[in-house]
């Protein structure tokens, strides 16, 4: 027995020695991820005791996965949205289903890209099929502008179909614009300007969890001149630049910085024109901000700022190890954020949170990415689920009599 214990001990020592010598987790290598500075976790007023999102109605169940952004055309028809399978779709005339409208990838075919109902998408197909994200209609021409994570900034006419690529993989200031995320436009300026975000010049969308672990600030805010087709970088060094929205008076843009759990303001007019500042710190990681009828912004947060997320932000070496392990995305997401749930915030033009709505258990709303308010209802999109959620909404302080 003593000989067996000695042999096992020897094997253990050899295994430890081999592990230390070969360093499979690269523990001796320099940390190759960026530190992430986060504000304090507590955000005043960031709670919804009534858990209002949990009473939302579900629309278009199992008709397409991941309607990430929402838009209405000049006639008030819609919503339109972009799906994981590469299609831009719109609500049918009888309001019963999605119908195809446009696509960004010239490679897209139903055989290659369509996803059967209740099936899971294959991320490896995204670069082939496209992944339309932010959508905006030009208020004068009626054309739809599309931000696609793989095919860049696109435009399609009133009849839909194959979109025209305007900006894709272009080098600006020596950096490739490889992951364009969202857009908004100011059609009232001299030439017409499209503002857009680039989430990363290093990672593709299907590796967004690696972006979060990396913590790098390789995203930015850009503008595209419709007349000259010139692209200009406005703000570099944004950590996972995500959605953006023009203010009601067109004096500033709000653009969200997912990794730092905040949205920022870029001034377009006035004495601060050309400068940027923190607009609002949030209790979750933000996706898209959207202007509402009161001149405020709905900000969708696909996940809460958990204690695990805050811990990892302060632990770059651990994030570096997790990057090298190549864990399954679902396992990694659950470890950082927990099970999918939902939270949205209304923020006024001064950057103050005026309302919070939650579905803490994710019963009806999971990973919200976009909120559109129309006719007393909130239409809530999601990056991952096969439906939309719709909620009757009365702003705080509004009489229902």
């Amino acid at each position: 027995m003593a000989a067996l214990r000695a042999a096992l001990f020897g094997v253990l020592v050899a295994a430890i020695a081999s592990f230390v010598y070969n360093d499979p987790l690269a523990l001796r290598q320099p940390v190759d991820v960026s530190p992430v500075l986060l504000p304090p976790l507590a955000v005043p007023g960031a709670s919804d005791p009534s858990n209002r999102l949990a009473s939302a109605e579900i629309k278009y169940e199992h008709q397409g996965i991941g309607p990430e952004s929402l838009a209405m055309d000049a006639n008030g028809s819609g919503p339109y949205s972009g799906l994981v399978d590469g299609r831009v779709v719109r609500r049918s005339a009888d309001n019963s289903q999605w119908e195809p409208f446009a696509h960004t990838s010239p490679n897209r075919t139903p055989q290659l890209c369509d996803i059967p109902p209740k099936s899971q998408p294959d991320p490896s197909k995204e670069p082939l099929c496209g992944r339309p994200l932010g959508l905006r209609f030009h208020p004068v021409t009626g054309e739809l502008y599309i931000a696609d994570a793989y095919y860049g900034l696109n435009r399609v006419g009133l009849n839909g179909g194959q979109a025209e690529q305007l900006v894709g993989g272009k080098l600006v200031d020596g950096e490739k614009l490889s992951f364009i995320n969202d857009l908004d436009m100011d059609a009232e300026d001299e030439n017409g300007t499209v503002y857009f975000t680039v989430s990363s010049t290093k990672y593709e969308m299907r590796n967004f969890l690696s972006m979060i672990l990396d913590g790098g600030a390789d995203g930015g805010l850009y503008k595209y001149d419709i007349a000259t087709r010139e692209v200009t970088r406005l703000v570099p060094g944004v950590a996972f630049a995500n959605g953006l929205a023009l203010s009601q008076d067109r004096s500033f843009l709000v653009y969200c910085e997912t990794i730092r759990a905040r949205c920022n303001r870029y001034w377009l007019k006035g004495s601060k024109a050309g400068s940027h500042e923190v607009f609002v710190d949030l209790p979750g990681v933000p996706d898209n901000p959207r202007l509402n009828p009161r001149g405020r912004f709905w900000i969708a947060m696909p996940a809460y700022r958990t204690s695990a997320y805050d811990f990892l932000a302060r632990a770059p070496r651990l994030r570096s190890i997790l990057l090298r392990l190549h864990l399954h995305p679902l396992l990694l997401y659950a470890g950082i954020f927990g099970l999918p749930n939902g939270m949205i915030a209304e923020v006024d033009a001064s950057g103050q949170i005026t309302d919070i709505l939650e579905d803490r258990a994710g019963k009806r709303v999971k990973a919200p990415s976009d909120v559109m308010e129309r006719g007393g209802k909130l239409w809530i999109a999601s990056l991952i689920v096969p439906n939309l959620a719709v909620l009757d909404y009365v702003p705080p302080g509004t009489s229902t009599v």
Side-chain angles (χ1 to χ4, degrees):
M1 182 63 70
L4 177 61
R5 283 199 298 267
L8 291 174
F9 181 74
V11 171
L12 177 62
V13 170
I16 293 173
S18 175
F19 182 89
V20 172
Y21 178 79
N22 293 303
D23 194 19
L25 298 182
L27 298 177
R28 295 194 299 270
Q29 290 186 16
V31 176
D32 56 358
V33 302
S34 304
V36 179
L37 300 177
L38 294 173
L41 182 57
V43 178
S47 65
D48 174 20
S50 300
N51 208 37
R52 285 170 286 174
L53 290 183
S55 61
E57 177 188 3
I58 299 302
K59 299 272 193 181
Y60 313 125
E61 184 87 49
H62 298 301
Q63 295 185 21
I65 299 173
E68 198 269 351
S69 178
L70 302 170
M72 306 292 282
D73 65 25
N75 298 318
S77 299
Y80 293 68
S81 192
L83 303 178
V84 167
D85 62 18
R87 293 178 297 157
V88 175
V89 294
R90 63 183 175 187
R91 182 171 58 170
S92 61
D94 63 2
N95 194 26
S96 65
Q97 60 185 347
W98 291 123
E99 62 181 21
F101 177 71
H103 55 276
T104 51
S105 169
N107 306 308
R108 192 189 189 286
T109 64
Q111 294 78 15
L112 174 66
C113 303
D114 283 2
I115 303 170
K118 301 185 180 182
S119 299
Q120 292 301 311
D122 178 358
S124 68
K125 292 185 178 180
E126 287 186 2
L128 295 172
C129 301
R131 181 51 169 116
L133 298 172
L135 305 176
R136 286 291 193 279
F137 281 94
H138 193 292
V140 178
T141 66
E143 295 168 308
L144 177 62
Y145 284 73
I146 307 165
D148 187 285
Y150 300 91
Y151 289 89
L153 183 63
N154 295 260
R155 177 175 59 195
V156 69
L158 304 182
N159 296 321
Q162 173 68 56
E164 171 196 6
Q165 187 180 66
L166 304 174
V167 178
K170 186 173 182 178
L171 287 174
V172 176
D173 297 333
E175 294 187 340
K176 187 177 180 180
L177 309 186
S178 54
F179 178 1
I180 292 178
N181 191 310
D182 195 24
L183 74 150
D184 205 349
M185 63 178 60
D186 187 350
E188 298 180 25
D189 66 5
E190 184 176 352
N191 296 321
T193 300
V194 179
Y195 298 99
F196 66 94
T197 51
V198 172
S199 293
S200 175
T201 57
K202 182 177 179 181
Y203 293 99
E204 293 183 328
M205 180 184 170
R206 55 183 171 159
N207 306 123
F208 76 94
L209 287 172
S210 296
M211 288 173 56
I212 290 174
L213 290 175
D214 186 299
D218 60 326
L221 175 66
Y222 294 77
K223 73 173 183 179
Y224 170 80
D225 188 300
I226 294 174
T228 65
R229 295 190 171 228
E230 181 181 0
V231 177
T232 306
R233 185 168 64 179
L234 301 177
V235 182
V238 184
F240 197 159
N242 209 313
L244 78 158
L246 190 65
S247 67
Q248 191 172 49
D249 64 0
R250 300 166 48 240
S251 66
F252 64 89
L253 284 165
V254 171
Y255 63 97
C256 291
E257 192 170 18
T258 298
I259 287 176
R260 292 178 177 150
R262 70 188 186 187
C263 296
N264 304 314
R265 184 200 320 254
Y266 179 83
W267 289 99
L268 298 170
K269 297 178 182 178
S271 60
K272 293 185 177 181
S275 66
H276 57 93
E277 62 197 16
V278 175
F279 179 63
V280 61
D281 292 315
L282 294 161
V285 292
D287 199 319
N288 292 330
R290 293 294 182 253
L291 193 67
N292 70 21
R294 293 171 296 286
R296 299 173 180 177
F297 300 90
W298 282 115
I299 300 177
M301 288 169 275
Y304 288 74
R305 261 186 65 187
T306 61
S307 55
Y309 183 81
D310 278 37
F311 175 78
L312 284 172
R314 301 189 301 271
R317 183 170 293 277
L318 178 56
R319 287 189 281 117
S320 182
I321 292 170
L322 290 173
L323 263 176
R324 297 183 185 115
L325 288 177
H326 301 292
L327 298 173
H328 191 282
L330 292 179
L331 177 64
L332 187 57
Y333 185 96
I336 298 173
F337 297 114
L339 296 177
N341 45 33
M343 177 167 50
I344 64 175
E346 186 190 52
V347 180
D348 67 20
S350 68
Q352 297 299 309
I353 295 176
T354 54
D355 201 6
I356 288 273
L357 287 82
E358 296 179 276
D359 181 353
R360 288 183 289 277
K363 282 180 58 179
R364 311 294 281 178
V365 176
K366 295 180 175 71
S369 55
D370 195 289
V371 184
M372 179 180 69
E373 182 176 347
R374 289 181 67 89
K377 294 182 182 294
L378 301 181
W379 292 73
I380 303 166
S382 170
L383 188 67
I384 62 171
V385 301
N387 56 56
L388 293 181
V390 181
L391 180 72
D392 291 327
Y393 179 73
V394 179
T398 302
S399 174
T400 58
V401 178

